[in-house]
Amino acid sequence: MIGRVRGWRRGWQERTKLQRIDLYTRVTLCSLPWVFLLSWGLLPLGATLDHGPVAMALGAAFFAVNAVQCVLSNRNVAPAFAHYRGAEPFPPRRLRLPAALLAVLTGLLVALAAVGGIDDPGLSLLVLDLPLAFTVPYVLLVPVRTYLLHCAAFGVVVLGLLAAVGAPGGLLFGAAVSLLVVVLLVLVSTRPSAWSLTVMWQAEEARDMQARLAVAEERLRFGRDMHDVLGRNLAVIALKSELAVELAQRGNAAAVDQMVEVQRIARASQQEVRDVVRGYREADLPTELLGAKGVLEAAGITCTVEGADGPAGIGAPPAVQAALGWVVREAATNVLRHGDPRVCVIRLTTTAGAVVLEVENDGAGPGAGQGDGSGVAGGGSGAAGSGGSGLAGLRERLAALGGSLEAGPAGDGLFRVTATVPLTAPGGRPSPGTLSTEDR
């Protein structure tokens, strides 16, 4: 539990840190057009005060339109980021007004150059600020190659218009350099920042997905363990209750003993359910073998256990014993539940570096083994039509240890369950369904 709290706290801290980085990046990109507007976009316009009212009007209009362009750029940064991350597409209509304002700014700049309202160095600085606000969100909406091609086409148009109004060669060269600088500046400052944020958010989403998968896996484990724990005990309770009813009808005092046993099993089941909820419980192979033998013999079935005291039993690693204990429990449950068995043999052997558990019983009908798991011990229609989850849960447990499970008719009315688990598979890791010390 402590480990889970620490993990949640670390996840919350990481997410908070990521949100701060995201906010810092967005604020920086939104501030960039305003910084240029109030520096390189404003200082050169002071020279228009000395060139008459027309130049002053053009300069004021250029500044006002550029300020509106910065506002629109800030509004488009968030949806542009969402488009870049693939969260939602960017509405094309949001670019119509910024594109129109860019055309207006270009016309005002060319008009300033035509009336001589600003000197050459100042005009180069205005060219530097001209496309900045528009390109900050735009660079996130199109591929890099498309962005560069569009910027090159825009640069050709601007330089062509300046040349048409008689701008000298030095001014054209300075304007070309300014356009190149601002295009590359926006590219190297915006795209890498967006890419970094995208990678970090994807990593955060992957952590969230991992947490959800862990929750789903825990739910599956809990459902599987509840089925395995309660299946046999409920079958025994039903069997002993029926026996107690028959004895009571005959006036046999042994009915009281059977009901006492039912009471004991019910209380034991309560404790086992609590253990499953806490995640502490593990099946113990020797205990399960003794329990299966006692339950089957109480139901009038002759049960023989072979190899329990050998290396395949007490000598197997704990994880292997736990997994095979679940197999014994499920198989014994289904021997009681299906068919009409009289003899059951549980056999443990070691072969080729693996432990092999076989549970074999007679009384299996022709449809035995056609179910999906509840009919493990098979017999008649009960096995064929069952809809339980016994085999599926057992296969999950054994697969985690590199093992396998086979179940089906063995001929002569026999039904056999064979579980194979490698001795070297566990490698010291906990068997399925357990929690680490830290998680406890």
Side-chain angles (χ1 to χ4, degrees):
M1 186 65 178
I2 295 177
R4 293 178 182 176
V5 173
R6 290 175 179 173
W8 176 84
R9 183 180 300 173
R10 285 195 299 267
W12 178 80
Q13 292 174 346
E14 290 293 332
R15 191 172 186 85
T16 302
K17 185 185 300 183
L18 180 55
Q19 290 173 344
R20 291 176 180 174
I21 296 174
D22 187 296
L23 178 62
Y24 170 79
T25 303
R26 293 172 186 266
V27 170
T28 300
L29 293 179
C30 290
S31 302
L32 188 62
W34 293 101
V35 171
F36 272 72
L37 173 66
L38 298 177
S39 56
W40 288 285
L42 179 62
L43 294 179
L45 294 177
T48 60
L49 299 176
D50 301 329
H51 293 79
V54 175
M56 291 175 55
L58 290 174
F62 184 91
F63 182 82
V65 173
N66 204 359
V68 175
Q69 184 79 298
C70 291
V71 173
L72 294 177
S73 176
N74 290 169
R75 292 184 58 189
N76 288 335
V77 165
F81 261 102
H83 177 90
Y84 182 83
R85 291 177 54 194
E88 57 180 319
F90 186 89
R93 65 180 182 276
R94 296 181 69 108
L95 282 180
R96 294 173 185 171
L97 182 56
L101 293 181
L102 181 60
V104 172
L105 285 173
T106 303
L108 292 173
L109 181 66
V110 174
L112 276 173
V115 300
I118 192 170
D119 53 11
D120 292 352
L123 193 61
S124 298
L125 291 178
L126 288 183
V127 171
L128 182 67
D129 185 51
L130 177 63
L132 179 66
F134 178 83
T135 54
V136 167
Y138 185 71
V139 72
L140 299 176
L141 304 177
V142 295
V144 174
R145 181 176 179 178
T146 303
Y147 167 78
L148 293 176
L149 289 176
H150 289 177
C151 289
F154 175 76
V156 170
V157 172
V158 172
L159 294 178
L161 291 175
L162 290 176
V165 297
L171 175 60
L172 295 178
F173 177 77
V177 172
S178 296
L179 285 174
L180 178 63
V181 169
V182 70
V183 166
L184 295 180
L185 175 64
V186 172
L187 178 63
V188 300
S189 61
T190 305
R191 294 282 296 203
S193 299
W195 179 83
S196 300
L197 282 178
T198 300
V199 171
M200 288 188 290
W201 278 116
Q202 288 176 346
E204 180 64 24
E205 291 170 358
R207 282 193 291 267
D208 292 342
M209 180 62 68
Q210 185 178 14
R212 288 193 292 269
L213 289 176
V215 172
E217 183 179 357
E218 181 65 13
R219 287 176 178 172
L220 290 175
R221 181 201 69 80
F222 182 79
R224 181 187 63 201
D225 287 359
M226 288 294 291
H227 171 273
D228 294 342
V229 165
L230 293 180
R232 187 191 69 179
N233 289 355
L234 291 177
V236 174
I237 288 174
L239 178 67
K240 288 187 173 293
S241 298
E242 293 174 0
L243 180 58
V245 170
E246 293 180 2
L247 293 175
Q249 291 175 345
R250 298 174 187 173
N252 194 329
V256 177
D257 297 334
Q258 294 298 326
M259 291 308 300
V260 170
E261 183 66 11
V262 168
Q263 193 178 44
R264 184 193 65 79
I265 296 174
R267 289 174 178 170
S269 299
Q270 288 179 333
Q271 183 58 46
E272 289 180 342
V273 170
R274 294 190 191 101
D275 292 339
V276 169
V277 172
R278 295 188 184 99
Y280 294 158
R281 188 184 184 281
E282 268 305 315
D284 178 67
L285 180 57
T287 302
E288 295 297 336
L289 289 172
L290 291 175
K293 180 178 175 65
V295 167
L296 294 176
E297 289 181 344
I301 302 172
T302 302
C303 181
T304 303
V305 179
E306 302 176 1
D309 298 331
I314 60 176
V320 175
Q321 291 194 41
L324 294 179
W326 287 111
V327 177
V328 171
R329 172 181 284 262
E330 179 66 21
T333 299
N334 287 283
V335 169
L336 292 171
R337 187 180 299 169
H338 304 291
D340 186 21
R342 290 292 178 266
V343 177
C344 180
V345 178
I346 304 175
R347 189 179 301 111
L348 276 168
T349 58
T350 303
T351 176
V355 178
V356 179
L357 170 68
E358 292 181 343
V359 181
E360 186 178 273
N361 65 278
D362 62 354
Q370 297 176 7
D372 68 346
S374 291
V376 169
S381 61
S386 62
S389 59
L391 274 183
L394 293 177
R395 286 196 175 101
E396 289 176 5
R397 293 181 184 276
L398 299 183
L401 301 176
S404 62
L405 179 72
E406 297 178 0
D412 297 330
L414 298 178
F415 190 90
R416 182 182 300 147
V417 176
T418 304
T420 305
V421 183
L423 287 170
T424 57
R429 71 185 171 188
S431 55
T434 61
L435 297 177
S436 64
T437 303
E438 182 182 6
D439 288 335
R440 294 180 187 176

